[in-house]
Amino acid sequence: LLGSRVEVILQHLMVAFTRYQRKNLRILYDALGTLADAVGGALNQPRYVQALVPPLLEKWEQLGDHNKDLLPLLECLKSVAGALGPGFQPFAEKVYMRAIGLVQQQLQMKANGVEVEKEFIVCAIDLLCVLVAGLGVNIESLVASSNTPQMLLLLCADQHPDIRQGAFELVGDLSKVCAAHLAGSLKELFVLVQQNLAPEVLRNYENMSASNNACWAVGELAVKMNAQALQPLVPLVVQNLIPLLSEERLNKSLKENTTITIGRLGLMCPEQVAPHLASFMQPWCMSLRMIRDDIEKEHAFLGLCAMLHQNPSVGLASIVPLCLAISSWQKMLNQDLQSELGKILRAYKDYVKEEWPRVWGSLDEPVRTKLGQIYGL
């Protein structure tokens, strides 16, 4: 509905932009951000971009790095950059480098014993995350020409959970598009993830979002790294992840990310994770059932296959949960994965022989129908 009226609304807002003073500008930034969030990609047209972004950046340049009026403008730019996606590319360098500079100034203040204004760090990190998500691989040159990886190590170790939350989100986003720039910090990042998944940290609910993002980020990072580099590091994280699968009252999002990340670590380094498979196979399969079909679930099941090749007896002992997990797919697009799962199921069926009718009979009819049609059981 708003899409057809974007031009008129934007014209009125930009007229107000030239007239409003400080107090009302905050309201206007909020209105522009709300518009961008509402219409999304419809805003990515040259005439809208030129009408909107240059005036915002002019205000951005007029404000000092410690001016609190910068905060609502950062929020507004986050929404605008998110809506424009690749269309924000012409302005990306200026905004990325200023956001990095804002964070660095706050970190320097902290190093000098001055109290940090964490809102500036949180807003700047959020803006960086949006830029990385919107520009994708085109962000690589900006990461390469900045000290983003070194900065992230400090942020992921910060005492404030909301700063760590944003920092780990940025680690995960960067892992998707330019993971090579994080390779030099791999060990330090794994140690920081381990610390954020420690039981004493998770007992404080204020840490939950930061720990959740840490769990997700290390999985994104792992699938882009060299397996040899990961091997000595994977046990650091796995030892904290495995107990979480059996926590009945665990935050739902953290349970899902734990499930996926264990699979991803098992995919990259099955020799390190498979020996522990018996301790988590059943709760892991139950959790895998709850995850929606996507690339993350695909990675988890590829990890499942890799670990079952290393430790096949565990799958045999958990054949029913395994069947239920496999049947949870609505539609598997990866034909190689489907073929591999079929081989595993048929091998177990052949191995148990006369016990198979009992196993098969313990499954609900819809599960038997699906597995029978897809895998010929």
Side-chain angles (χ1 to χ4, degrees), residues 120-164:
F120 283 97
I121 299 180
V122 172
C123 287
I125 295 173
D126 287 347
L127 179 55
L128 289 169
C129 288
V130 168
L131 290 175
V132 172
L135 300 179
V137 294
N138 292 321
I139 205 76
E140 192 274 337
S141 61
L142 298 179
V143 178
S145 59
S146 67
N147 69 338
T148 304
Q150 295 78 16
M151 183 188 77
L152 278 172
L153 293 179
L154 294 173
L155 295 173
C156 289
D158 196 272
Q159 68 192 74
H160 298 291
D162 43 357
I163 290 178
R164 298 200 309 275

Side-chain angles (χ1 to χ4, degrees), residues 49-102:
V49 174
Q50 286 305 312
L52 177 58
V53 180
L56 286 174
L57 293 185
E58 186 178 345
K59 291 289 185 187
W60 154 280
E61 289 170 358
Q62 290 170 2
L63 295 171
D65 289 344
H66 300 282
N67 191 325
K68 295 268 183 158
D69 291 340
L70 197 57
L71 295 173
L73 181 51
L74 282 166
E75 290 286 349
C76 177
L77 278 170
K78 181 181 77 171
S79 295
V80 171
L84 297 182
F88 199 77
Q89 180 74 51
F91 317 101
E93 182 176 3
K94 180 182 291 186
V95 174
Y96 187 94
M97 291 307 182
R98 175 101 189 256
I100 291 286
L102 287 171

Side-chain angles (χ1 to χ4, degrees), residues 35-52:
L35 175 67
D37 291 337
V39 303
L43 201 61
N44 191 17
Q45 296 189 34
R47 66 183 188 278
Y48 299 159
V49 174
Q50 286 305 312
L52 177 58

